Amino acid sequence: MKIKNSLLSFLPLVFSLSLSSTINEINDKTSKNSMEINSTTSILNYDDNLGKFQDLTQSEVKSYYSDLSDNTGLKGEDLLKELQPILRESHLKISNSDAWDSDWHYFLLLDRNYKEDPLTQEEIISQEWKLDNVIVNPLYTDDITWVRSDKRYFDREHMWPKSRGFKDKYDTSESLKEQPYAATDMHNLRMGESSNNQQGHNNYPFGEVVTIKEEIISKYTNEVTGVRGLNKDGIEVYEPRDEDKGDIARGLFYMAARYSIYQSTEDFEPALKLVSSYSSTSEATKTITCDSTKDTPATYGILEDLLSWHTLDPVDEYEIHRNNLCYNFVQGNRNPFVDYPEWANIAFDSSITYGIDLSQEDGKELEEGLTIENDTSEDTYLIGKSLKDLYGNSTFIFIKEDERIEINFDDSSLKVEISLNNEVVSTSKDYIFNKEGDYNIKFIYEYSGVSYELNFNKTFETEPTFFEKYGYYIIGGTILILLIILSMIIGSIKKKSKKKKRKYTKRKK
């Protein structure tokens, strides 16, 4: 027993020494895989038996936007105008009672964490979801287990506030009149922690806070989960946690696309527009009625921050599944910026020169100039690889206006320049990387007397020695064996000592 205890006390040290390199490798791979999952546009694969709970395939998603198939190069306001009829045509009206019902019916479908709380067989068979004891993923806080008896911590959060274009000029109480479309749009409605919704967000724009005016304390966790204050232009804004930023940005991008053009006051279909600045601090929170957007859109922001958040917090599996559930079960339309994340910059960043292209997997038109398809190269290699090993199977594409030229790796028109530590070492496609260092690989294609370049940075390293690979394990194993032997010796000595003490101990009469 004492040997076991001695060993246990040293095990954390041994494992730290022997497994540290492996843990670092696993962490690196996990981080990389997380980024790949977050940035992907592919759709999750679910069992065919899930019915409406199953996500759409990539081809089914592409089919939803088929009206854009002949609009390669579309961008900016033109893209938003073409998206609106697609999103509007399939949009089913959601009534106040459905969107704001006391049972939180749709929220417990859409905002559920299906990893922590997977579907039951009963739900799959009935195609109905449970309404109690549900693990949900609200805005502004971590996952919670939702029970009907406790609702005081959470609200129905309009990411685009009702005061910015959803109001009826004749009605002061939203509950008295049906407000289909914008006011009850489930792509804009999320379950949200109430302090952040009421005190933090309220009707302030979302943006990066430079000067904090108030830290928002969650009623649920008693932690700071958002801040309100002034941005760099002196506009009062609300900034949530990083993990909420991308979801919010894409919700607002959807609203600016679905309601890019005014349609109807009766159905609450205002004109909405995202902006990066306001002429005054009061303009940012001014109440705007739906009818007033007929000539001038209701604005909201802060657009430049939302675009940054879209990159900071990329699309993840939760959002993909929520988008599909909203499409399958609730209102029949989709958020294009979850389906095709690249479209956010194409639609809202005026500096972007390329447009959409549904023939590409990511929905993005290839940029003008020299680019590459089926690139399977990695960032780090062992020395001994040739340039052909890296790019021999790749196809290079040159795009200029309406012209698209495919170039094979071996094509004489494609030149190469290879530099090691900023010094040119070769212009041959037969080059073998036989020295360690940081390389720059530059492919060059000349068109009408102008050279177009495509650059890659690669690191080449010597294969580690046997001891470099397994040294930690050898050291750790040796230490473990020595500790076992030492513990056995100590245990043996203690046993002998006890025996001697018993031999000379007199029994009391």
Side-chain angles (χ1 to χ4, degrees):
M1 197 70 185
K2 286 182 177 289
I3 292 175
K4 288 182 181 177
N5 289 337
S6 299
L7 284 173
L8 286 172
S9 67
F10 285 100
L11 281 178
L13 172 62
V14 174
F15 275 65
S16 174
L17 288 169
S18 62
L19 299 180
S20 60
S21 62
T22 304
I23 291 169
N24 287 335
E25 288 175 13
I26 291 171
N27 287 339
D28 290 343
K29 288 178 181 176
T30 303
S31 176
K32 183 178 180 182
N33 288 338
S34 297
M35 288 184 71
E36 288 172 355
I37 290 170
N38 285 341
S39 63
T40 187
T41 57
S42 64
I43 302 303
L44 299 175
N45 294 317
Y46 283 87
D47 189 325
D48 289 341
N49 295 323
L50 289 180
K52 286 187 176 181
F53 287 109
Q54 182 178 326
D55 288 342
L56 271 65
T57 64
Q58 188 66 48
S59 60
E60 287 171 331
V61 170
K62 180 179 176 181
S63 178
Y64 178 78
Y65 301 101
S66 59
D67 286 351
L68 297 176
S69 296
D70 297 327
N71 287 281
T72 296
L74 203 63
K75 59 180 181 288
E77 293 287 340
D78 293 333
L79 173 58
L80 296 178
K81 288 175 183 176
E82 292 297 326
L83 278 172
Q84 177 160 348
I86 295 172
L87 304 179
R88 185 174 190 259
E89 183 180 4
S90 60
H91 189 167
L92 303 174
K93 288 184 178 180
I94 305 298
S95 66
N96 288 5
S97 57
D98 282 337
W100 306 333
D101 73 291
S102 59
D103 285 335
W104 293 69
H105 186 70
Y106 283 141
F107 296 91
L108 296 176
L109 166 73
L110 300 177
D111 294 333
R112 176 168 164 179
N113 184 329
Y114 287 90
K115 281 190 174 179
E116 300 296 327
D117 190 2
L119 291 164
T120 64
Q121 196 61 32
E122 183 182 350
E123 289 175 302
I124 295 170
I125 292 170
S126 67
Q127 293 290 287
E128 293 286 340
W129 56 94
K130 63 181 180 179
L131 299 176
D132 197 17
N133 197 32
V134 183
I135 299 177
V136 291
N137 181 21
L139 286 176
Y140 317 130
T141 193
D142 295 325
D143 291 341
I144 66 157
T145 299
W146 175 264
V147 290
R148 289 191 188 191
S149 59
D150 192 2
K151 302 175 183 177
R152 66 184 182 275
Y153 297 121
F154 298 95
D155 287 334
R156 298 157 186 83
E157 164 74 296
H158 286 81
M159 292 182 285
W160 190 298
K162 290 181 289 182
S163 62
R164 302 295 290 179
F166 305 169
K167 292 282 188 177
D168 188 317
K169 65 178 179 180
Y170 301 113
D171 218 341
T172 57
S173 174
E174 290 86 5
S175 61
L176 298 178
K177 185 175 180 179
E178 283 298 312
Q179 295 179 292
Y181 296 127
T184 59
D185 197 314
M186 294 304 296
H187 286 296
N188 184 52
L189 278 163
R190 283 282 304 270
M191 184 179 286
E193 195 278 330
S194 59
S195 294
N196 284 268
N197 179 17
Q198 295 168 14
Q199 296 169 237
H201 179 209
N202 200 309
N203 64 343
Y204 295 102
F206 288 101
E208 293 285 333
V209 171
V210 174
T211 305
I212 296 175
K213 293 184 71 173
E214 182 179 1
E215 291 183 333
I216 310 302
I217 309 297
S218 167
K219 290 180 182 178
Y220 180 69
T221 64
N222 292 319
E223 297 175 349
V224 175
T225 49
V227 291
R228 184 163 47 79
L230 304 181
N231 73 352
K232 60 182 177 59
D233 297 321
I235 301 296
E236 192 160 354
V237 298
Y238 168 66
E239 182 178 349
R241 308 177 308 165
D242 285 353
E243 51 265 53
D244 295 321
K245 288 178 176 177
D247 301 54
I248 290 167
R250 286 178 285 276
L252 298 181
F253 295 155
Y254 161 85
M255 293 299 284
R258 168 62 182 87
Y259 306 99
S260 61
I261 302 171
Y262 172 87
Q263 296 291 335
S264 160
T265 296
E266 182 180 348
D267 288 333
F268 288 85
E269 292 190 89
L272 307 178
K273 185 177 182 179
L274 289 168
V275 295
S276 287
S277 61
Y278 294 93
S279 60
S280 66
T281 54
S282 60
E283 184 192 353
T285 55
K286 178 183 175 183
T287 297
I288 300 172
T289 59
C290 184
D291 65 292
S292 68
T293 69
K294 185 174 183 179
D295 300 316
T296 305
T299 58
Y300 197 57
I302 301 292
L303 176 57
E304 64 178 317
D305 292 336
L306 296 174
L307 287 170
S308 296
W309 293 0
H310 174 60
T311 302
L312 169 74
D313 175 29
V315 173
D316 56 21
E317 293 182 1
Y318 165 78
E319 274 183 280
I320 292 172
H321 199 39
R322 189 185 197 279
N323 190 28
N324 282 294
L325 291 171
C326 194
Y327 175 73
N328 291 338
F329 277 105
V330 184
Q331 65 184 51
N333 71 348
R334 306 184 61 80
N335 185 336
F337 306 103
V338 173
D339 290 328
Y340 292 104
E342 295 284 354
W343 287 6
N345 286 314
I346 292 172
F348 298 104
D349 186 346
S350 59
S351 68
I352 297 298
T353 59
Y354 53 86
I356 68 166
D357 184 355
L358 277 177
S359 69
Q360 300 295 320
E361 185 178 350
D362 61 2
K364 182 185 81 169
E365 183 183 32
L366 295 175
E367 298 181 52
E368 190 170 89
L370 188 63
T371 186
I372 191 171
E373 285 186 351
N374 55 296
D375 179 12
T376 58
S377 66
E378 300 174 2
D379 291 335
T380 305
Y381 287 95
L382 297 177
I383 60 173
K385 290 281 186 182
S386 69
L387 183 64
K388 194 159 189 172
D389 291 333
L390 274 62
Y391 296 104
N393 295 321
S394 297
T395 301
F396 295 83
I397 308 293
F398 177 74
I399 297 172
K400 183 70 173 176
E401 297 174 350
D402 295 330
E403 191 158 10
R404 187 179 191 273
I405 302 171
E406 291 192 6
I407 310 161
N408 185 276
F409 174 81
D410 294 318
D411 195 311
S412 60
S413 62
L414 185 69
K415 309 296 182 184
V416 66
E417 181 181 285
I418 303 169
S419 300
L420 172 61
N421 300 327
N422 299 318
E423 291 187 11
V424 176
V425 294
S426 179
T427 57
S428 170
K429 291 180 186 174
D430 296 323
Y431 184 76
I432 296 175
F433 299 90
N434 54 16
K435 289 184 179 179
E436 283 192 332
D438 297 320
Y439 287 82
N440 176 259
I441 304 166
K442 182 189 297 181
F443 289 100
I444 306 162
Y445 180 75
E446 191 171 287
Y447 181 87
S448 298
V450 179
S451 293
Y452 294 86
E453 299 177 357
L454 183 61
N455 287 275
F456 298 97
N457 293 314
K458 307 291 178 186
T459 299
F460 285 82
E461 301 171 344
T462 304
E463 185 172 5
T465 64
F466 178 84
F467 190 79
E468 286 173 333
K469 276 186 177 181
Y470 304 108
Y472 282 124
Y473 302 105
I474 293 169
I475 293 170
T478 303
I479 292 173
L480 180 58
I481 292 169
L482 290 172
L483 289 173
I484 292 172
I485 293 170
L486 180 62
S487 298
M488 292 175 69
I489 292 169
I490 292 171
S492 176
I493 291 169
K494 286 184 176 180
K495 283 182 181 179
K496 287 180 180 179
S497 176
K498 282 186 177 181
K499 285 180 180 178
K500 287 180 180 179
K501 285 181 180 178
R502 288 196 202 101
K503 188 174 181 181
Y504 296 106
T505 300
K506 291 183 178 181
R507 185 181 295 175
K508 292 181 179 180
K509 292 182 178 179

